[in-house]
Amino acid sequence: MRRPAPLRQALGRTVPFLSALAATALLLTACGTEHDGAGNTGVGGSESPARTQVDDPGKDGVRVTSLTLPSPSPSPTRSYSGSADSLPKDSGIVAAYEVVNKGTETLTYTVIITFMSADGGAMANQTVTVRDVGPGKTVRGTVRAGVLPLTTPRVTGAKVLEVTKVPSNEAPAAAGTCPASGIRVSADRGDAAMGLRVVGLHLDNCGTRDYSVDGYPVLELLDDNLQHVDGIKILDGGGGIAPGGVNDKPAGPVTLKPGESALATLVWRNTTQFGTAVNVPYVRVRAKAGAAPVIVTPNLDLGTTGKLGVTAWRSAED
């Protein structure tokens, strides 16, 4: 029978392994703990994210319920000039929210959530769309703060900044989807300069047949309660608002083949003089008379001008 090796001999064989292990530990200790731009620990240890409840009164049935923060701070503790580690990374900050539909019809919500520092400053705004929330229903979800600059102060809170909601059957189609009509209508974020406001309306033929328009989009201005707004004159063309300032081609027929797009432009000024300033959050758009309506949210701050210009549809190639 084979005898076990003497204790001294066995220990002798393990010394090289233990020495290597000790050397590795010493090297890690000398390097210290490194943190990326999101506050996540790298070599030397890690911390679990901290989730805290948020006291957010919310707006229109939408509120932030909790905030998950990486531990320690999302601010970097060491710089790595000239290396990949110096690039901003996802902050790891996540806000949980809930949407409660207190109305009587199915709604689609667009929500802006702002992530804040301790002094209340906005560090990041993120937009989420929550579709098809039925009457009396509650939908919960999360949104990430995303990539923040390395110099961003520590995020400590989040709240709902803005809510828009429209009937789901009139909401713009989700990106990458095509309505049964084969036509997708949407509005861009627009541009503002020297008091002149410009928002583009986009008409995409995502179907399988040609689609023709001739002239101007059909518009209806709506208030916060999606009720008709009176007293605003809608002008054909943008010349009455900004002569020569927009691409204002004469109205004429435009035929879109599948995959092609057309563009029209809303143009206005926010000048305020005598009278009451008018804000129009929603516009119901029909590509042409009889077409299915789509409600967009350009937030028209019309001041006291009492007018809005809209250009004719033109090919997006023009």
Side-chain angles (χ1 to χ4, degrees), residues 224-309:
D224 286 317
N225 298 314
L226 299 177
Q227 299 300 308
H228 180 80
V229 174
D230 293 316
I232 303 299
K233 187 174 183 179
I234 299 177
L235 307 177
D236 288 343
I241 308 293
V246 293
N247 191 348
D248 201 1
K249 292 193 172 184
V254 176
T255 298
L256 302 176
K257 296 184 179 300
E260 293 183 340
S261 301
L263 177 68
T265 304
L266 302 180
V267 55
W268 73 98
R269 293 190 183 276
N270 70 335
T271 307
T272 301
Q273 295 178 343
F274 299 104
T276 302
V278 176
N279 294 312
V280 177
Y282 302 98
V283 178
R284 179 177 280 126
V285 181
R286 289 179 171 84
K288 59 184 178 182
V294 174
I295 297 177
V296 298
T297 55
N299 291 309
L300 308 176
D301 54 340
L302 299 173
T304 57
T305 61
K307 57 186 179 181
L308 169 71

Side-chain angles (χ1 to χ4, degrees), residues 195-262:
L196 180 65
R197 308 287 201 256
V198 176
V199 167
L201 297 179
H202 300 264
L203 175 63
D204 305 314
N205 184 353
C206 53
T208 58
R209 299 179 180 179
D210 291 357
Y211 188 83
S212 296
V213 290
D214 188 355
Y216 302 87
V218 179
L219 308 181
E220 182 183 5
L221 309 186
L222 306 173
D223 64 16
D224 286 317
N225 298 314
L226 299 177
Q227 299 300 308
H228 180 80
V229 174
D230 293 316
I232 303 299
K233 187 174 183 179
I234 299 177
L235 307 177
D236 288 343
I241 308 293
V246 293
N247 191 348
D248 201 1
K249 292 193 172 184
V254 176
T255 298
L256 302 176
K257 296 184 179 300
E260 293 183 340
S261 301

